Amino acid sequence: MKARFTDEQIIAIIKEQESGEKTADVCRRHGISSATFYKYTSKYGGMEPSDAKRLRALEDENGKLKKLLAEQMLPSRDIAAQYPVRRGTMQCCETSIQKNGDARWEA
């Protein structure tokens, strides 16, 4: 999903409202809802553009670290290769279905 506004633009929108303009006027001019404006305020309120760049960098780094951790927690491919998933293990049940006519154990 592509963001509509950059971090710097969002901070500029918040500063417009902080300078004394009505929230409704600022929202109307930029084409956002008041709920979106307050969401931006909760995330970017009191920040400068340099702070927003640093926040973005930290969020990116955090995402990379989470991905690395998830990869470390997954079993390695070598272990997974030792225990292959066997296909067609229900053949014995299929033959018993033909004999007994019990369809509950169909594969």
Side-chain angles (χ1 to χ4, degrees):
M1 182 171 103
K2 186 176 185 297
R4 185 170 171 191
F5 297 108
T6 64
D7 297 338
E8 292 81 13
Q9 290 172 329
I10 293 170
I11 291 171
I13 292 170
I14 293 170
K15 288 197 182 292
E16 286 178 23
Q17 190 267 344
E18 289 174 351
S19 69
E21 291 188 49
K22 291 183 179 180
T23 304
D25 294 338
V26 173
C27 292
R28 190 177 311 113
R29 187 175 331 116
H30 294 285
I32 60 174
S33 69
S34 59
T36 301
F37 177 80
Y38 287 113
K39 183 178 76 170
Y40 289 163
T41 304
S42 68
K43 185 172 182 180
Y44 297 102
M47 283 190 186
E48 295 297 321
S50 60
D51 296 335
K53 288 179 183 177
R54 185 165 185 265
L55 174 67
R56 178 70 61 190
L58 289 172
E59 287 174 345
D60 292 343
E61 183 180 359
N62 192 24
K64 290 175 186 176
L65 292 173
K66 284 182 179 181
K67 186 175 179 181
L68 285 172
L69 178 64
E71 288 173 356
Q72 291 293 321
M73 292 177 73
L74 289 174
S76 70
R77 293 180 188 258
D78 296 333
I79 294 173
Q82 292 176 0
Y83 302 101
V85 176
R86 297 181 185 207
R87 303 281 181 211
T89 57
M90 297 295 288
Q91 290 177 354
C92 63
C93 296
E94 289 174 358
T95 56
S96 65
I97 291 170
Q98 292 171 355
K99 291 179 185 175
N100 299 333
D102 188 5
R104 288 182 295 168
W105 301 103
E106 243 178 320

